[in-house]
């Protein structure tokens, strides 16, 4: 296992012709923040490729593009979406020579592979919580008629689980009295707690014990569909993108924490590193194992929430 390869130097890179037209890579991503334009341009120059990127959170569109032949080459998505695709045999094994990619990932994030093989490369994780303007409990916030706005992450599975639990816990009527707005992942750091209760990343365990399962563990990463006609090139992209020098530069521009044991630069705070997950208690934390393919319709029909 060569040190150069671990740091993202592609063995075949020296033989790649830079006089030919760039190869095209078709990419889907559920959120722009996972593969922003600045990063695309950098990798296009480094790898001599051309990316065609579509941002969509439409599960049916992602499933259709994964089943189609030829399909897209690379998808950035939540872990439990990938698990659902892998269980249907739709994803390629991305182990690669010597399992280099797995070796970069902390063991805590490798247990979610749904079958033998390596089908999902986790990049980021976040333990979420709902922070109230006065740092009081969530129930206190709901009862406070002066506080009007509740910002929740725009993830249909997480939203559905929240509302189902709040109904079971008998506080749905209080929640319904608030103005509920959804946040995309790249909007998390733009909101201030004074604007309302905010769902976002926790740096430590929440002191709010008024409700169980108010927090969730979310993991995002990338996968390659079986129907991709550019699997090797897509694997090159993942290998380069997951290298420490890229990840350490990207990470602090996001609200996420890293899953990679190699991301240990001095600028990376301890709570943003992979091993920090062991300092958090995951009891009573929501952990998703599969995509609810009817989440949007359930939100609309059961709770009148339209995304």
């Amino acid at each position: 296992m060569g040190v150069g390869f671990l740091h993202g130097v592609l063995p075949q890179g020296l033989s790649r012709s830079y006089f030919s037209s760039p190869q095209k890579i078709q990419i889907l991503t559920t959120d722009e923040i996972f593969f922003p334009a600045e990063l695309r341009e950098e990798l296009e120059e480094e790898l001599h490729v051309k990316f065609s990127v579509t941002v969509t959170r439409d599960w049916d569109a992602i499933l259709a593009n994964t089943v189609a032949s030829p399909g897209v080459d690379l998808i950035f998505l939540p872990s439990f979406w990938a698990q659902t695709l892998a269980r249907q045999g739709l994803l390629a094994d991305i182990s690669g020579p010597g399992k280099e990619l797995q070796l970069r990932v902390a063991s805590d994030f490798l247990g979610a592979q749904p079958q033998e093989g390596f089908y999902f490369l986790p990049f980021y994780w976040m333990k979420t919580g709902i922070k109230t303007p006065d740092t009081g409990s969530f129930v206190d916030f709901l009862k406070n008629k002066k506080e009007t706005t509740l910002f929740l992450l725009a993830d249909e599975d997480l939203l559905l689980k929240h509302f189902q639990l709040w109904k079971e816990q008998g506080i749905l009527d209080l929640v319904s009295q608030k103005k509920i707005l959804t946040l995309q992942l790249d909007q998390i750091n733009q909101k201030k707690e004074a604007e309302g209760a905010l769902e976002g990343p926790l740096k430590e365990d929440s002191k709010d014990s008024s409700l169980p399962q108010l927090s969730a563990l979310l993991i995002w990463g990338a996968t390659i569909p079986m129907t991709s006609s550019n699997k090797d090139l897509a694997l090159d992209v993942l290998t380069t993108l997951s290298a420490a020098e890229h990840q350490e530069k990207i990470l602090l521009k996001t609200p996420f924490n890293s899953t990679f044991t190699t991301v240990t630069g001095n600028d990376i705070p301890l709570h943003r590193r992979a091993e920090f997950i062991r300092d958090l208690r995951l009891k009573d934390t929501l952990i998703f194992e599969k995509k609810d393919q009817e989440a949007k319709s359930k939100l609309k029909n059961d709770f009148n929430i339209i995304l």
Side-chain angles (χ1 to χ4, degrees), residues 132-143:
T132 58
D134 59 0
T135 67
S137 74
F138 182 61
V139 173
D140 289 340
F141 163 79
L142 294 178
K143 292 179 178 178

Side-chain angles (χ1 to χ4, degrees), residues 10 13-14 39 49 65 78 88 92 100 110 113 118 131-132 158 163 221 238 249 255-256 272 284 287 295 297 305:
L10 304 179
L14 294 177
L39 176 60
V49 298
N65 278 278
Q88 299 178 44
E100 287 87 356
L110 292 176
Q113 304 297 329
F118 187 65
K131 302 174 185 177
T132 58
L158 180 56
F163 279 90
L238 288 184
K249 183 166 57 175
F256 309 122
R272 304 288 298 275
D284 290 330
I287 298 176
S297 62
I305 301 293

Side-chain angles (χ1 to χ4, degrees), residues 244-262:
E245 59 264 34
H246 278 296
Q247 286 301 303
E248 290 182 357
K249 183 166 57 175
I250 296 168
L251 184 66
L252 296 181
K253 298 179 181 179
T254 76
F256 309 122
N257 308 316
S258 178
T259 66
F260 297 110
T261 58
T262 51

Side-chain angles (χ1 to χ4, degrees), residues 56-112:
T56 178
R57 287 198 61 86
D58 187 325
W59 168 259
D60 291 333
I62 289 177
L63 181 60
N65 278 278
T66 306
V67 174
S69 183
V72 295
D73 301 305
L74 195 57
I75 306 176
F76 294 92
L77 72 177
S79 60
F80 57 99
W81 292 35
Q83 290 177 45
T84 302
L85 294 173
R87 288 189 178 99
Q88 299 178 44
L90 297 175
L91 303 182
D93 190 328
I94 56 174
S95 298
K99 299 184 177 181
E100 287 87 356
L101 291 180
Q102 291 100 308
L103 292 175
R104 298 179 183 184
V105 179
S107 59
D108 300 87
F109 301 99
L110 292 176

Side-chain angles (χ1 to χ4, degrees), residues 13 27 40 44-46 48 76-77 82 85 91 96 102 118 131 138 168 209 212-213 221 236 254 260 269 300:
I27 292 180
R40 282 177 247 171
E44 282 180 339
E45 182 176 348
E46 183 174 347
H48 193 59
F76 294 92
L77 72 177
L85 294 173
L91 303 182
Q102 291 100 308
F118 187 65
K131 302 174 185 177
F138 182 61
E168 293 174 11
S209 59
Q213 296 183 301
D236 284 357
T254 76
F260 297 110
K300 179 181 179 181

